[in-house]
Amino acid sequence: MDAMDWDLLRELQANARLSFNELSRRVHLSPPAVAERVRRLEETGVITGYHAAVDPTRTGWEVSAFVQLTCYGPTCVLRDPEVAAWPEIREIHRVTGDVCSILKIAVPSMAAFESLIDRLAVYGKPSSTMIFSSPLANRPVTAVQNAV
């Protein structure tokens, strides 16, 4: 990836709805060249999709938390693809350390949170951390800076 690819990624991460004409104006490259570079970034998996940023609390998902699960073997949450389809599960991360996974969840109420914890308990020991706010979320990806 070169500097022009990073310029395109910076613009698309800020606003994925930009037209190729507007992108070309912002990065000083012709629209066909922009289209070709964006197509290549998509084909190589650098760009994995285009998404709307939605505030869960404004859509009724008022309680957010991270849930750490200590589970091993055949009952591990990571082995059940059904869990990823639960609407309350926003992210699933396989991690190192004392737990095997961290889930980011959102639910409409504390009663729903309690119910979700009960459903997750069949996979292992859950431990939760409530999210009060996210002063930095969805940070754009930037080029790796070489260490000196």
Side-chain angles (χ1 to χ4, degrees), residues 64 66 130-137:
S64 294
F66 293 107
M130 304 305 292
I131 300 172
F132 290 139
S133 65
S134 298
L136 178 62

Side-chain angles (χ1 to χ4, degrees), residues 56-147:
T57 59
R58 294 183 183 259
T59 61
W61 300 92
E62 297 183 9
V63 178
S64 294
F66 293 107
V67 177
Q68 298 180 25
L69 273 172
T70 303
C71 53
Y72 302 97
T75 61
C76 182
V77 71
L78 298 170
R79 297 185 188 272
D80 187 348
E82 298 282 325
V83 175
W86 297 359
E88 304 93 341
I89 307 297
R90 308 304 311 148
E91 298 174 10
I92 299 175
H93 303 274
R94 183 178 183 190
V95 299
T96 62
D98 295 338
V99 299
C100 71
S101 58
I102 297 177
L103 289 65
K104 183 176 182 182
I105 63 96
V107 291
S109 66
M110 288 305 290
F113 178 70
E114 182 178 6
S115 175
L116 178 61
I117 292 297
D118 290 344
R119 286 168 52 206
L120 288 169
V122 302
Y123 295 97
K125 180 182 172 192
S127 173
S128 62
T129 302
M130 304 305 292
I131 300 172
F132 290 139
S133 65
S134 298
L136 178 62
N138 300 317
R139 173 179 252 170
V141 176
T142 59
V144 175
Q145 302 297 318
N146 291 332

